Structure formats: structure tokens, C-alpha cells
């Protein structure tokens, strides 16, 4: 037995996968595949530019934000590498938390006749849907991580109800 016998499309007849065969291929299906491939190749590298190359590993949404909630508070944590606390603004207005920031950087090397300018900007808004004690909201920023602590009002804490789950059905 030769190595050629192990290759499926060399045994006689065309046993190549159908995408490589031209016989009986629908021209519209071929056009559809080619257009899809073109769009995949063209738009593969596009994302929002920033100091960090692409701003986001998660489909253009930057910064990455996590929510956690207890009976007493809501905690919002945002990862914002490359910025410091002066580049970030946190606002709470009518139950909507806004995180906003901007990074500007310029590099110039006159010896090499080289200069670069980078600008990155973001704004994310979150409707909290709960009553928050606005005068007790606190924000900390350390090592590129912004943490906003939003204490709930006594009324919001009292409104939480446990719902029994019926497993008989």
C-alpha cells in the first residue's frame, strides 16, 4: 500500500470536499461565501483605538465592569488600566451611574523626527434601578481599578423579598 492510497481524493474520482469541487456549485452560494470571507478579513482588525492598542477584548465595550450586590449595597468595579484617578469622572444622577474618562498622550522625538498622539475616551452609563443613599456613595481608584460603592436606602433594603420555589410540578 502506498501513501497515495491513504489520500482520499487520489483514489480515483473526485472525493475532495465539496467546497473545493466546482461541479454543480451554486454560483450564488459561492458569491455569498466570498463576500462573507471578504467582510471577515476586512473588519477583523477594527476596534476602538486607544493607548492600549485595542481598547477592549470584549467587543468594543471598554472598560470592563463588574457588578456585585448585597442587602446593604451595590458595588461597581471597572478595570481602567493606563489611566489615573484624575483621568476618570464618576457621577450619579437620578439613579444613573456614569463612568467617564479620557486619556491623552503625546510622544515626540526630534532626533528621529518622530511623534505620536494617542487619544482614548469612554463613557458608560448604568441605570441602578434602586434607591441609593447618594450622600454616602464612595469611589476608590487603585492600580487601574475603579471601585464605586453605592449604599442602599433602608426602604430599598426592606423591599427585598424572598420568593419560595415550588418543586412539586
Amino acid at each position: 500500500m502506498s501513501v497515495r492510497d491513504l489520500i482520499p481524493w487520489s483514489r480515483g474520482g473526485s472525493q475532495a470536499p465539496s467546497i473545493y469541487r466546482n461541479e454543480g456549485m451554486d454560483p450564488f452560494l459561492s458569491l455569498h461565501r466570498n463576500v462573507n470571507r471578504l467582510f471577515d478579513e476586512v473588519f477583523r482588525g477594527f476596534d476602538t483605538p486607544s493607548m492600549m492598542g485595542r481598547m477592549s477584548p470584549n467587543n468594543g465595550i471598554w472598560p470592563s465592569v463588574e457588578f456585585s450586590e448585597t442587602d446593604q449595597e451595590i458595588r461597581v468595579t471597572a478595570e481602567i488600566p493606563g489611566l489615573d484617578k484624575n483621568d476618570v469622572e464618576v457621577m450619579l444622577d437620578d439613579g444613573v451611574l456614569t463612568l467617564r474618562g479620557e486619556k491623552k498622550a503625546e510622544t515626540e522625538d526630534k532626533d528621529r523626527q518622530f511623534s505620536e498622539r494617542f487619544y482614548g475616551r469612554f463613557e458608560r452609563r448604568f441605570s441602578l434601578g434602586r434607591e441609593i443613599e447618594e450622600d454616602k456613595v464612595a469611589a476608590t481608584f487603585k492600580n487601574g481599578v475603579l471601585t464605586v460603592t453605592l449604599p442602599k436606602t433602608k426602604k430599598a433594603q426592606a423591599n427585598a423579598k424572598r420568593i419560595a420555589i415550588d418543586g412539586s410540578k
Side-chain angles (χ1 to χ4, degrees):
M1 177 187 231
S2 72
V3 174
R4 287 182 177 243
D5 292 334
L6 297 175
I7 302 172
W9 51 85
S10 68
R11 292 185 194 143
S14 179
Q15 295 182 7
S18 62
I19 61 171
Y20 299 114
R21 282 186 264 149
N22 289 331
E23 59 191 72
M25 180 175 256
D26 182 12
F28 293 107
L29 181 61
S30 175
L31 176 65
H32 178 73
R33 285 183 181 152
N34 287 333
V35 169
N36 282 345
R37 186 171 40 88
L38 174 70
F39 276 98
D40 287 345
E41 290 174 2
V42 169
F43 292 111
R44 180 177 295 133
F46 286 92
D47 205 351
T48 311
S50 76
M51 287 293 296
M52 288 68 70
R54 296 192 210 305
M55 283 183 112
S56 170
N58 51 358
N59 299 327
I61 301 173
W62 189 75
S64 296
V65 177
E66 279 185 17
F67 282 84
S68 61
E69 183 175 0
T70 64
D71 292 337
Q72 292 80 30
E73 69 183 18
I74 298 172
R75 184 170 298 223
V76 179
T77 306
E79 297 176 8
I80 313 173
L83 276 74
D84 61 30
K85 71 178 188 173
N86 297 326
D87 297 328
V88 179
E89 182 180 5
V90 179
M91 296 183 343
L92 181 64
D93 182 30
D94 198 26
V96 176
L97 177 68
T98 303
L99 306 179
R100 183 182 299 151
E102 184 173 6
K103 179 72 173 183
K104 296 179 182 178
E106 296 184 19
T107 305
E108 188 171 346
D109 187 352
K110 291 187 178 192
D111 295 334
R112 296 183 189 172
Q113 297 179 350
F114 172 78
S115 67
E116 284 185 323
R117 290 175 185 83
F118 295 104
Y119 297 95
R121 184 178 202 166
F122 70 89
E123 181 173 327
R124 299 216 37 207
R125 294 174 183 252
F126 306 98
S127 177
L128 300 173
R130 303 239 188 262
E131 295 182 32
I132 303 296
E133 292 189 46
E134 294 187 14
D135 55 334
K136 294 184 180 179
V137 173
T140 60
F141 192 89
K142 184 177 180 183
N143 296 330
V145 178
L146 172 69
T147 304
V148 182
T149 306
L150 305 129
K152 295 179 185 178
T153 62
K154 297 293 181 192
K155 182 180 176 185
Q157 292 177 26
N159 286 340
K161 296 180 185 177
R162 290 212 181 254
I163 299 170
I165 300 172
D166 183 17
S168 64
K169 293 184 183 180

